[in-house]
Amino acid sequence: MELRGVWWRAISVAAVIWLAACGPRPAAAGDIAQDDENAPKKPGCNNQFVLVKVQTWVNGLESREFVGVSARFGVPIVSKEKNADQSPLTLSDPRDCCRQPNKKLTGDVIMVDRGNCTFTTKANNAELADASAILIVNNQKELYKMVCDPEETDLDIKIPAVMLPQDAGSSLVKMLMNGSSVSVQLYSPTRPLVDIAEVFLWLMAVGTILCASYWSAWSAREAALEQDKLTKDAVDELTDDKHVKATGVVEISTTSAVLFVIIASGFLIVLYKLMSTWFIELLVVLFCIGGVEGLQTCLVALLSRWFRNFGDSYTKVPFFGAVSYLTLAVSPFCIAFAVVWAVYRNTNFAWIGQDILGIALIITVLQIVRIPNLKVGTVLLSCAFLYDIFWVFVSKKLFKESVMIVVARGDRSGEDGIPMLLKIPRMFDPWGGYSIIGFGDILLPGLVVAFSLRYDWLANKNLRAGYFLWAMLAYGLGLLVTYVALNLMDGHGQPALLYIVPFTLGTFLALGRRRGDLKVLWTRGEPERPCPHVRLHSSEEVDQDY
């Protein structure tokens, strides 16, 4: 098992850096209302940019739905579908609409090509032809925010203007060229304040830390009992604390906690610069390797309670050393599960497999990787706190966009975000998409919460008198505040650790100081325990005196 122990340590350390560096951040599927400080505002040109649903009907039958973005100018898009009119769609003649169309449109929605004149000129010409709205097709696949030039004055536009991506425009042109009758409906539904997906995601995050903490505390207590047994049975062959802790466990130091920010920031920039389809596939492979290891560890730990003899029987495997028969039996299932998820990761229900692999990996890492005291936990969370804020907010000033949000969504890869996230589809959101939370938002605070339960168990504190209950409540409240802020910001991505760290760390530090345990928590990280061999020597000396 020695070689396998080294393998475990390498995986756990790499997992901490990798998972945390991938960026802790919850975010909604996409922002409905957006603003742009660089886009000039003036009277008649001060609308928010909002996503717009463009529902189509072909020959009276409901067909495809497209998504566009409204302009800074024009009348606002209605939010309710029942208030949106269904209007015929007409191609502009000329196609760029840089002069007034050749025929009256009498309430039709006109579709025009981008280019050759300003957006407001196209909108004014469409309004003069009695169009009810204008759809401007971009010459690229991405959406473009339509603004006004600083010198423009003719901005009293009374029809809505919407930009469509190139592929949506091509599809609509094909419908019209086939001689079909095409009509459209434009509306921008509002996102509900709270979606049940966020409730389930909150429960998943809290439940993951809860399970990992009890596993970690149970392992620590078993190690402490084993140490006490050794000291009682063999005084001359004592095993010190460091040796016991080193077995299958990696402890984070203050130095490694500080290095986290540097390594994580560097890795995040690499993700940002190299974001592409092949790079996402590489991350998927790495995620599957970690997921298989985590799922295997969790399943073996559970099944060994029922198949103890099977789990305690070992055989030698090249490179891995001694491996239990139970591990060999479980491994093929774990590998097959990860491979199936990777192949079908873009399907509607792939999020279930991703969450299972992710939760298993987080629980495994939290069981193996530990902080030795509250000092290291404070340094780690403080660094992560600054890292989160910088790459969500400050990076906008340097890179013209939030680096962490871009990486989380996989905006430049053509894929649906990076895999190192827990995600649940938004169930009552008309825009669909997912509510997500980064592994780091669970893993990093989870290290401190798990430490609190280990301390409570070693100190024989009950739930109320200990620290775990309050640390767990603080984490849950911090995550809840994160989702409240997320909804108040209309879906704009928020750095979760901005809210979680003050709640979790602040509660722990304040409670420790009030109870007089802060010095022990800060330095030793575990309560003083009597040493049986010391008591044994003392009793022998007393006997000799008599």
Side-chain angles (χ1 to χ4, degrees):
M1 291 292 289
E2 292 299 323
L3 187 56
R4 193 165 186 267
V6 175
W7 170 254
W8 264 116
R9 294 188 187 96
I11 285 180
S12 57
V13 172
V16 170
I17 297 173
W18 168 48
L19 296 178
C22 288
R25 65 234 150 234
D31 304 340
I32 294 174
Q34 306 175 28
D35 210 342
D36 190 342
E37 296 178 356
N38 298 322
K41 286 185 177 181
K42 60 174 65 177
C45 189
N46 55 6
N47 294 339
Q48 274 192 315
F49 300 108
V50 299
L51 295 180
V52 180
K53 285 182 179 287
V54 182
Q55 180 62 56
T56 63
W57 284 262
V58 178
N59 295 328
L61 299 177
E62 189 170 344
S63 184
R64 296 180 58 184
E65 181 182 270
F66 303 98
V67 176
V69 63
S70 66
R72 184 70 94 190
F73 52 86
V75 298
I77 307 291
V78 297
S79 61
K80 295 184 178 180
E81 185 178 4
K82 64 180 182 180
N83 296 333
D85 296 326
Q86 183 178 330
S87 306
L89 181 65
T90 302
L91 274 177
S92 175
D93 182 18
R95 290 287 295 271
D96 59 10
C97 202
C98 287
R99 59 179 175 82
Q100 187 175 338
N102 295 325
K103 61 178 182 179
K104 289 288 183 179
L105 301 175
T106 61
D108 290 3
V109 174
I110 186 172
M111 187 168 67
V112 309
D113 292 339
R114 179 184 175 184
N116 301 325
C117 60
T118 63
F119 297 123
T120 52
T121 299
K122 298 174 188 290
N124 279 312
N125 288 333
E127 186 177 0
L128 290 174
D130 291 334
S132 61
I134 180 172
L135 300 179
I136 301 177
V137 179
N138 196 13
N139 52 16
Q140 299 177 3
K141 293 182 179 181
E142 294 78 17
L143 290 171
Y144 183 84
K145 293 179 179 178
M146 296 185 290
V147 299
C148 309
D149 289 337
E151 64 275 8
E152 286 187 281
T153 56
D154 192 10
L155 299 175
D156 188 21
I157 300 171
K158 296 294 193 300
I159 62 172
V162 176
M163 169 72 74
L164 285 177
Q166 188 179 44
D167 54 352
S170 301
S171 299
L172 290 172
V173 169
K174 288 181 181 178
M175 295 178 186
L176 293 169
M177 290 302 183
N178 289 335
S180 303
S181 172
V182 181
S183 57
V184 296
Q185 187 181 40
L186 311 179
Y187 64 104
S188 178
T190 55
R191 174 164 281 156
L193 185 61
V194 178
D195 190 271
I196 194 171
E198 293 169 354
V199 177
F200 284 120
L201 201 61
W202 184 90
L203 291 173
M204 285 170 56
V206 171
T208 298
I209 291 182
L210 190 67
C211 294
S213 297
Y214 272 97
W215 189 5
S216 177
W218 178 82
S219 300
R221 186 165 63 178
E222 289 293 309
L225 292 174
E226 182 67 22
Q227 182 184 1
D228 288 344
K229 182 180 178 181
L230 288 172
T231 55
K232 290 177 181 178
D233 294 344
V235 176
D236 296 332
E237 298 179 2
L238 297 177
T239 306
D240 61 20
D241 289 354
K242 293 182 179 179
H243 179 74
V244 173
K245 290 179 181 177
T247 305
V249 173
V250 176
E251 286 192 347
I252 301 175
S253 65
T254 305
T255 303
S256 59
V258 174
L259 287 176
F260 157 76
V261 177
I262 301 174
I263 297 174
S265 297
F267 188 50
L268 190 64
I269 293 176
V270 171
L271 285 173
Y272 177 72
K273 294 296 185 181
L274 299 181
M275 186 63 66
S276 59
T277 301
W278 71 266
F279 199 73
I280 289 291
E281 291 176 351
L282 176 61
L283 293 178
V284 167
V285 172
L286 295 176
F287 173 72
C288 286
I289 294 173
V292 167
E293 198 69 43
L295 187 59
Q296 172 188 286
T297 303
C298 291
L299 288 177
V300 168
L302 288 173
L303 294 175
S304 61
R305 298 176 64 88
W306 292 281
F307 305 98
R308 188 173 299 275
N309 293 333
F310 199 41
D312 292 338
S313 301
Y314 292 86
T315 184
K316 287 189 176 181
V317 177
F319 183 73
F320 292 99
V323 179
S324 70
Y325 287 103
L326 186 57
T327 301
L328 291 178
V330 167
S331 296
F333 167 77
C334 298
I335 295 172
F337 186 90
V339 170
V340 170
W341 171 82
V343 173
Y344 297 100
R345 69 182 186 276
N346 294 321
T347 58
N348 292 334
F349 296 98
W351 62 273
I352 299 175
Q354 179 170 326
D355 288 351
I356 291 174
L357 292 172
I359 289 173
L361 180 55
I362 292 172
I363 290 176
T364 301
V365 172
L366 286 177
Q367 193 273 329
I368 296 172
V369 181
R370 300 177 183 177
I371 57 173
N373 50 50
L374 191 54
K375 176 183 177 181
V376 174
T378 301
V379 172
L380 179 65
L381 286 188
S382 299
C383 291
F385 176 80
L386 298 174
Y387 163 85
D388 221 12
I389 293 174
F390 180 86
W391 289 110
V392 172
F393 294 133
V394 182
S395 63
K396 290 182 179 179
K397 305 294 184 183
L398 303 176
F399 298 90
K400 308 302 181 183
E401 56 187 351
S402 175
V403 172
M404 191 174 285
I405 299 300
V406 170
V407 171
R409 294 177 179 170
D411 291 350
R412 300 179 176 181
S413 65
E415 297 275 347
D416 187 20
I418 60 176
M420 285 73 75
L421 304 164
L422 298 185
K423 56 194 291 188
I424 296 181
R426 297 178 65 87
M427 302 176 188
F428 300 105
D429 191 335
W431 291 98
Y434 295 88
S435 290
I436 62 176
I437 184 170
F439 285 179
D441 297 330
I442 305 173
L443 182 61
L444 299 178
L447 290 170
V448 174
V449 176
F451 164 75
S452 69
L453 186 59
R454 290 197 304 271
Y455 181 87
D456 288 351
W457 280 21
L458 294 175
N460 293 319
K461 291 180 178 289
N462 59 40
L463 199 60
R464 186 174 179 180
Y467 294 92
F468 173 71
L469 175 63
W470 309 109
M472 198 76 239
L473 289 174
Y475 173 80
L477 184 59
L479 187 58
L480 180 63
V481 171
T482 301
Y483 283 114
V484 171
L486 182 69
N487 288 304
L488 290 177
M489 296 295 179
D490 199 16
H492 288 65
Q494 293 293 298
L497 295 183
L498 173 64
Y499 309 96
I500 293 174
V501 169
F503 275 93
T504 306
L505 199 56
T507 299
F508 208 155
L509 291 170
L511 200 59
R513 181 175 182 180
R514 181 179 178 181
R515 293 176 174 176
D517 297 332
L518 187 57
K519 184 176 180 181
V520 175
L521 289 168
W522 189 264
T523 54
R524 283 181 53 86
E526 61 181 34
E528 294 282 355
R529 291 188 294 127
C531 296
H533 68 282
V534 173
R535 295 201 304 269
L536 180 61
H537 285 313
S538 299
S539 61
E540 290 176 351
E541 292 172 359
V542 171
D543 291 339
Q544 290 175 1
D545 291 338
Y546 283 102

